[in-house]
Amino acid sequence: MNKLIIFAFAGICLMPLTAIASPVVRTIRQSQATGSSATTQTIKVWNGNGVSISFYEVNEVVKRVWIDDPSQILIDTDGCLEGINPNCQSSGAGLIHLRRIQKVNIPGLPQSKSTHLTIVTQAADARRKAYHFQVTAAAGKPEYSQIAIESDISHDSIERTPIKINSRRPRALSNFRLPVK
């Protein structure tokens, strides 16, 4: 863990205060949350700390979002979305923000400790993907404040084509002499 030392002004003397920096970003690969090989990914949301889900790295635009139990989690976006924002003419966002609120009793909505979140995105080639998450209210110290959705293909894993080198090496010319001037 990285340590950050902060100096606070207290009267005349400066006193060092030590704060431990915790990780901010949790990464989830696309295949972990969408497609046939996806598994349930849990997102924790703490009191006083929202969690953002970013699709910037994969260059996908969020088109729709559903949360099954809105009684304690609010959704906001960095763009307008149909079904959430009235008068949304050009639906699209790159970031979803989840914020925990004090539980509201909604008649007819069963009580649960977690809820299902569905996010529909669209890539530049018009293909759509549905991402699924389990969202739960958490207690204690926040573990992260952002979830970055990353591509399953990293630059390090791209298969590189080997360069073909001519295996016939030029032979040394033993009887070759440079002209002398």
Side-chain angles (χ1 to χ4, degrees), residues 154-172:
S154 70
H155 296 292
D156 294 335
S157 68
I158 295 174
E159 192 173 313
R160 291 171 172 79
T161 306
I163 300 171
K164 292 186 179 184
I165 299 173
N166 188 349
S167 61
R168 291 178 37 199
R169 302 171 90 189
R171 301 198 191 279

Side-chain angles (χ1 to χ4, degrees), residues 3 31 36 57 62-63 87 131 133-134 141 151 153 170 179:
K3 285 191 177 181
S31 64
S36 60
E57 296 292 322
V62 176
K63 301 304 264 182
N87 304 321
Y131 291 84
F133 303 96
Q134 196 67 27
K141 181 182 170 196
S151 175
I153 302 171

Side-chain angles (χ1 to χ4, degrees), residues 18-74:
T18 304
I20 298 177
S22 61
V24 175
V25 180
R26 173 183 164 203
T27 58
I28 296 176
R29 299 248 182 235
Q30 286 176 307
S31 64
Q32 292 176 301
T34 188
S36 60
S37 63
T39 58
T40 302
Q41 298 296 311
T42 300
I43 298 174
K44 296 177 186 177
V45 183
W46 294 266
N47 280 334
N49 273 43
V51 174
S52 298
I53 306 168
S54 170
F55 291 87
Y56 296 141
E57 296 292 322
V58 291
N59 202 24
E60 293 177 3
V61 176
V62 176
K63 301 304 264 182
R64 290 293 301 246
V65 177
W66 292 276
I67 191 155
D68 292 344
D69 178 1
S71 67
Q72 60 184 337
I73 304 291
L74 294 181

Side-chain angles (χ1 to χ4, degrees), residues 108-124:
L109 189 65
Q111 298 290 315
S112 67
K113 293 186 179 204
S114 65
T115 186
H116 187 81
L117 173 68
T118 304
I119 302 172
V120 178
T121 65
Q122 184 171 342

Side-chain angles (χ1 to χ4, degrees), residues 23 77 105:
T77 67
N105 185 20

